[in-house]
mmCIF file of all heavy atoms in Angstrom:
data_model
loop_
_atom_site.group_PDB
_atom_site.id
_atom_site.type_symbol
_atom_site.label_atom_id
_atom_site.label_comp_id
_atom_site.label_asym_id
_atom_site.label_seq_id
_atom_site.Cartn_x
_atom_site.Cartn_y
_atom_site.Cartn_z
ATOM 1 N N PHE J 642 13.360 11.618 -1.142
ATOM 2 C CA PHE J 642 12.773 11.831 0.183
ATOM 3 C C PHE J 642 12.390 10.504 0.826
ATOM 4 O O PHE J 642 12.657 10.278 2.016
ATOM 5 C CB PHE J 642 11.542 12.731 0.070
ATOM 6 C CG PHE J 642 10.685 12.744 1.299
ATOM 7 C CD1 PHE J 642 11.050 13.453 2.424
ATOM 8 C CD2 PHE J 642 9.491 12.025 1.331
ATOM 9 C CE1 PHE J 642 10.259 13.451 3.569
ATOM 10 C CE2 PHE J 642 8.695 12.014 2.460
ATOM 11 C CZ PHE J 642 9.083 12.728 3.579
ATOM 12 N N LEU J 643 11.771 9.609 0.053
ATOM 13 C CA LEU J 643 11.347 8.320 0.602
ATOM 14 C C LEU J 643 12.546 7.486 1.047
ATOM 15 O O LEU J 643 12.506 6.825 2.098
ATOM 16 C CB LEU J 643 10.525 7.554 -0.441
ATOM 17 C CG LEU J 643 9.189 8.187 -0.833
ATOM 18 C CD1 LEU J 643 8.502 7.362 -1.919
ATOM 19 C CD2 LEU J 643 8.279 8.320 0.380
ATOM 20 N N ILE J 644 13.618 7.509 0.264
ATOM 21 C CA ILE J 644 14.829 6.780 0.650
ATOM 22 C C ILE J 644 15.384 7.333 1.950
ATOM 23 O O ILE J 644 15.744 6.582 2.873
ATOM 24 C CB ILE J 644 15.889 6.863 -0.461
ATOM 25 C CG1 ILE J 644 15.446 6.056 -1.691
ATOM 26 C CG2 ILE J 644 17.241 6.366 0.030
ATOM 27 C CD1 ILE J 644 16.390 6.196 -2.866
ATOM 28 N N ALA J 645 15.473 8.655 2.037
ATOM 29 C CA ALA J 645 16.013 9.280 3.247
ATOM 30 C C ALA J 645 15.163 8.945 4.468
ATOM 31 O O ALA J 645 15.689 8.640 5.548
ATOM 32 C CB ALA J 645 16.103 10.796 3.049
ATOM 33 N N LYS J 646 13.855 8.986 4.301
ATOM 34 C CA LYS J 646 12.967 8.668 5.417
ATOM 35 C C LYS J 646 13.131 7.211 5.840
ATOM 36 O O LYS J 646 13.173 6.897 7.042
ATOM 37 C CB LYS J 646 11.509 8.951 5.031
ATOM 38 C CG LYS J 646 10.530 8.751 6.172
ATOM 39 C CD LYS J 646 9.139 9.274 5.836
ATOM 40 C CE LYS J 646 8.507 8.510 4.696
ATOM 41 N NZ LYS J 646 7.069 8.843 4.542
ATOM 42 N N ASP J 647 13.237 6.322 4.865
ATOM 43 C CA ASP J 647 13.426 4.902 5.184
ATOM 44 C C ASP J 647 14.731 4.665 5.928
ATOM 45 O O ASP J 647 14.786 3.882 6.884
ATOM 46 C CB ASP J 647 13.409 4.073 3.898
ATOM 47 C CG ASP J 647 12.022 3.985 3.274
ATOM 48 O OD1 ASP J 647 11.040 4.191 3.999
ATOM 49 O OD2 ASP J 647 11.937 3.728 2.062
ATOM 50 N N ILE J 648 15.791 5.322 5.488
ATOM 51 C CA ILE J 648 17.092 5.144 6.146
ATOM 52 C C ILE J 648 17.042 5.644 7.586
ATOM 53 O O ILE J 648 17.564 4.994 8.503
ATOM 54 C CB ILE J 648 18.194 5.874 5.357
ATOM 55 C CG1 ILE J 648 18.417 5.205 3.998
ATOM 56 C CG2 ILE J 648 19.497 5.886 6.141
ATOM 57 C CD1 ILE J 648 19.432 5.925 3.124
ATOM 58 N N LEU J 649 16.427 6.779 7.799
ATOM 59 C CA LEU J 649 16.342 7.328 9.151
ATOM 60 C C LEU J 649 15.575 6.390 10.075
ATOM 61 O O LEU J 649 15.968 6.167 11.225
ATOM 62 C CB LEU J 649 15.681 8.708 9.115
ATOM 63 C CG LEU J 649 16.522 9.834 8.500
ATOM 64 C CD1 LEU J 649 15.665 11.062 8.235
ATOM 65 C CD2 LEU J 649 17.687 10.186 9.410
ATOM 66 N N HIS J 650 14.475 5.845 9.584
ATOM 67 C CA HIS J 650 13.703 4.909 10.400
ATOM 68 C C HIS J 650 14.485 3.625 10.658
ATOM 69 O O HIS J 650 14.429 3.073 11.763
ATOM 70 C CB HIS J 650 12.386 4.568 9.696
ATOM 71 C CG HIS J 650 11.323 5.595 9.866
ATOM 72 N ND1 HIS J 650 10.905 6.030 11.099
ATOM 73 C CD2 HIS J 650 10.580 6.287 8.954
ATOM 74 C CE1 HIS J 650 9.957 6.950 10.951
ATOM 75 N NE2 HIS J 650 9.748 7.118 9.668
ATOM 76 N N LEU J 651 15.195 3.164 9.657
ATOM 77 C CA LEU J 651 15.890 1.882 9.759
ATOM 78 C C LEU J 651 17.120 1.953 10.649
ATOM 79 O O LEU J 651 17.350 1.071 11.488
ATOM 80 C CB LEU J 651 16.282 1.412 8.354
ATOM 81 C CG LEU J 651 17.005 0.063 8.249
ATOM 82 C CD1 LEU J 651 16.104 -1.062 8.735
ATOM 83 C CD2 LEU J 651 17.455 -0.181 6.809
ATOM 84 N N LEU J 652 17.915 3.003 10.495
ATOM 85 C CA LEU J 652 19.204 3.080 11.187
ATOM 86 C C LEU J 652 19.169 3.907 12.465
ATOM 87 O O LEU J 652 20.069 3.794 13.290
ATOM 88 C CB LEU J 652 20.264 3.645 10.235
ATOM 89 C CG LEU J 652 20.487 2.848 8.942
ATOM 90 C CD1 LEU J 652 21.607 3.477 8.124
ATOM 91 C CD2 LEU J 652 20.803 1.388 9.240
ATOM 92 N N LEU J 653 18.144 4.741 12.642
ATOM 93 C CA LEU J 653 18.055 5.564 13.856
ATOM 94 C C LEU J 653 16.686 5.403 14.506
ATOM 95 O O LEU J 653 15.937 6.369 14.676
ATOM 96 C CB LEU J 653 18.296 7.043 13.511
ATOM 97 C CG LEU J 653 19.620 7.398 12.834
ATOM 98 C CD1 LEU J 653 19.656 8.876 12.494
ATOM 99 C CD2 LEU J 653 20.804 7.015 13.714
ATOM 100 N N PRO J 654 16.333 4.190 14.901
ATOM 101 C CA PRO J 654 14.976 3.965 15.425
ATOM 102 C C PRO J 654 14.707 4.656 16.758
ATOM 103 O O PRO J 654 13.556 4.950 17.070
ATOM 104 C CB PRO J 654 14.914 2.436 15.566
ATOM 105 C CG PRO J 654 16.334 2.014 15.746
ATOM 106 C CD PRO J 654 17.145 2.965 14.911
ATOM 107 N N ASN J 655 15.748 4.931 17.550
ATOM 108 C CA ASN J 655 15.563 5.538 18.872
ATOM 109 C C ASN J 655 16.265 6.884 18.971
ATOM 110 O O ASN J 655 16.766 7.259 20.026
ATOM 111 C CB ASN J 655 16.096 4.590 19.952
ATOM 112 C CG ASN J 655 15.431 3.236 19.918
ATOM 113 O OD1 ASN J 655 14.208 3.145 19.850
ATOM 114 N ND2 ASN J 655 16.227 2.182 19.959
ATOM 115 N N ILE J 656 16.304 7.620 17.885
ATOM 116 C CA ILE J 656 17.082 8.848 17.834
ATOM 117 C C ILE J 656 16.568 9.907 18.806
ATOM 118 O O ILE J 656 17.332 10.756 19.270
ATOM 119 C CB ILE J 656 17.097 9.401 16.387
ATOM 120 C CG1 ILE J 656 18.055 10.569 16.267
ATOM 121 C CG2 ILE J 656 15.698 9.776 15.933
ATOM 122 C CD1 ILE J 656 19.489 10.227 16.572
ATOM 123 N N TYR J 657 15.289 9.883 19.155
ATOM 124 C CA TYR J 657 14.748 10.920 20.031
ATOM 125 C C TYR J 657 15.432 10.911 21.393
ATOM 126 O O TYR J 657 15.661 11.964 21.994
ATOM 127 C CB TYR J 657 13.239 10.733 20.205
ATOM 128 C CG TYR J 657 12.589 11.868 20.963
ATOM 129 C CD1 TYR J 657 12.241 13.043 20.303
ATOM 130 C CD2 TYR J 657 12.337 11.774 22.327
ATOM 131 C CE1 TYR J 657 11.653 14.098 20.994
ATOM 132 C CE2 TYR J 657 11.747 12.811 23.023
ATOM 133 C CZ TYR J 657 11.418 13.976 22.350
ATOM 134 O OH TYR J 657 10.850 15.020 23.035
ATOM 135 N N SER J 658 15.766 9.731 21.871
ATOM 136 C CA SER J 658 16.422 9.624 23.181
ATOM 137 C C SER J 658 17.936 9.785 23.094
ATOM 138 O O SER J 658 18.619 9.764 24.119
ATOM 139 C CB SER J 658 16.101 8.270 23.826
ATOM 140 O OG SER J 658 16.604 7.205 23.030
ATOM 141 N N GLN J 659 18.459 9.972 21.889
ATOM 142 C CA GLN J 659 19.906 10.019 21.695
ATOM 143 C C GLN J 659 20.419 11.381 21.255
ATOM 144 O O GLN J 659 21.628 11.596 21.222
ATOM 145 C CB GLN J 659 20.316 8.963 20.658
ATOM 146 C CG GLN J 659 19.959 7.538 21.076
ATOM 147 C CD GLN J 659 20.086 6.547 19.942
ATOM 148 O OE1 GLN J 659 20.201 6.932 18.781
ATOM 149 N NE2 GLN J 659 20.064 5.260 20.252
#
Side-chain angles (χ1 to χ4, degrees):
F642 166 76
L643 295 177
I644 291 175
K646 185 170 64 169
D647 289 338
I648 293 176
L649 289 167
H650 279 305
L651 181 63
L652 301 183
L653 302 177
N655 302 312
I656 188 62
Y657 187 82
S658 62
Q659 300 168 346

